[in-house]
Amino acid sequence: MSDPRPAPANGPAPANGPAPANGPAPGNGPASAAATAAGPASGPGGFFTRTAAGRPGLALFLNAGDPPLDRLPDLAALLDESDIDCLELAVPFPGSVTDGPVIRRSADRALAHGTDLAAVLAAVARVRPGLKRLRIALLADFSHTVKGTAPGDFAAAVRDAGCDGLLLHGVPPRLRAAHYEAAHDAGLPLVTTCYAVSRPDAVAEAAAQATAYLYLVAHYGRSGTAVALDHDRLARSIAALRATATAPVAVGFGVRTRADTLLLQDLGADAAVVGSVGVARIEQALTEGRDPVEEFGSFVRELRGP
C-alpha cells in the first residue's frame, strides 16, 4: 500500500496505468462456497484481536503473483502458522507513482506472470477454507482493476472469493459514496487510509468508514523509503483516531523491523503494516535461485520474534 498524498480517505491516490477491458465476475458461482466454508478467520471485524504486550498486530503486504500464484497456498499457510494477523494482498498494477522500486519491480514480475483480478480471486478462494486465523485484505487499484465494473458486482466478487476486507486504491471522490454503499451492502469490511497530517475532514471520513482497519500512513514519500518516524506526531494521530474510529488502527510506511512494530504498539497502534522489506526478501531469493517462501518465512520469524 502506498501514497504520500493526504486527500483520499478511502485509499491512496490512483497510479497511472491502463484500465482493463474486463472487470471481475459477479459474485456467484464456485467462489461463494469458499466464503461459506471459510471458517473462523472470515467475517467482519477481528483483524487484530489477539494482540498483547510484546505481540503487536501485524499485516504483511505482498503483490499477488510474486512469487507466482501457485505458491500462495504455501505463503498463506506460513503466515497462518506464524501468528500473522493479516495478509494485505495486492492485485498488481503497473507504474505506481507512489511506490518505491522494490514494490514496483514486484508488481512487474507478477504482471509478467499474467496475474489479474480473476486469477487473484480464484487463488484466494482456494486457500481460504484451510486458514485458521489469517485474514486477507485485498488491495486493488481503481483505475487499473475496477474502473468500468459496477461497485456492487466488484464488492460481491471480492466477498465471495473469501476476502475478509478491501482497500480500494484511488477511488474518484464522486464515486466514494457508491463504493462505501456497495461494500456495506455486500457485508465486505473496508480498509480506509489517512495520514498523520491529513485534513480533519479526511481523517473523519476514514474513521467513519473503516470497518476492517484504518491504515494510518506514517509519512510522505514512496514505499520502501527509510524515514525516521515522528513519534510524538504519530502518538497524537493514533490517539485521535482511536477516540473516533470503531475499527483497529494500523500504521505503515517506514516499518521494517520487530523493534519498529513494538514501538508502534507502545505509541498506541493496534497493528503495524510491513511491506517493502519483506517484498525485497522475496526478490533476493528469486534472484539467487532460492525458495522465496522459505526466505519469506525467515523474514516473518525475525519480524514476529519469540
Side-chain angles (χ1 to χ4, degrees), residues 237-255:
S237 298
I238 292 167
L241 287 170
R242 294 196 68 172
T244 57
T246 58
V249 176
V251 180
F253 263 47
V255 184

Side-chain angles (χ1 to χ4, degrees), residues 275-290:
S276 295
V277 64
V279 174
R281 294 283 286 267
I282 287 176
E283 181 177 56
Q284 181 181 6
L286 292 170
T287 300
E288 298 174 358
R290 294 182 286 109

Side-chain angles (χ1 to χ4, degrees), residues 7-46:
N10 59 288
N16 296 324
N22 299 307
N28 50 36
S32 299
T36 302
S42 66

Side-chain angles (χ1 to χ4, degrees), residues 46-228:
F47 270 73
F48 307 108
T49 57
R50 296 177 60 188
T51 61
R55 205 72 171 168
L58 279 177
L60 301 185
F61 169 93
L62 287 174
N63 272 305
D66 183 49
L69 278 177
D70 62 5
R71 301 304 308 275
L72 184 61
D74 299 326
L75 277 166
L78 163 72
L79 299 180
D80 200 31
E81 294 164 3
S82 300
D83 203 34
I84 299 301
D85 301 280
C86 175
L87 170 60
E88 193 176 272
L89 187 66
V91 181
F93 60 96
S96 171
V97 297
T98 56
D99 276 317
V102 169
I103 289 180
R104 291 183 69 167
R105 289 194 301 267
S106 171
D108 289 344
R109 288 192 297 271
L111 291 167
H113 289 302
T115 308
D116 59 12
L117 177 64
V120 174
L121 293 184
V124 171
R126 288 192 295 271
V127 303
R128 161 52 67 216
L131 299 180
K132 298 176 182 177
R133 71 176 301 267
L134 178 71
R135 295 176 184 272
I136 298 176
L138 189 80
L139 189 160
D141 176 68
F142 179 84
S143 294
H144 182 263
T145 305
V146 183
K147 187 176 181 179
T149 302
D153 289 346
F154 176 71
V158 173
R159 176 203 63 201
D160 289 348
C163 296
D164 300 287
L166 170 66
L167 197 171
L168 189 52
H169 174 284
V171 183
R174 63 185 177 82
L175 299 178
R176 283 206 290 245
H179 163 55
Y180 297 145
E181 182 179 4
H184 179 269
D185 290 347
L188 178 64
L190 283 178
V191 181
T192 63
T193 65
C194 67
Y195 304 81
V197 292
S198 285
R199 298 188 315 268
D201 60 326
V203 172
E205 183 176 339
Q209 298 297 336
T211 49
Y213 56 94
L214 195 162
Y215 189 145
L216 175 64
V217 182
H219 64 82
Y220 289 146
R222 293 179 181 272
S223 61
T225 56
V227 176

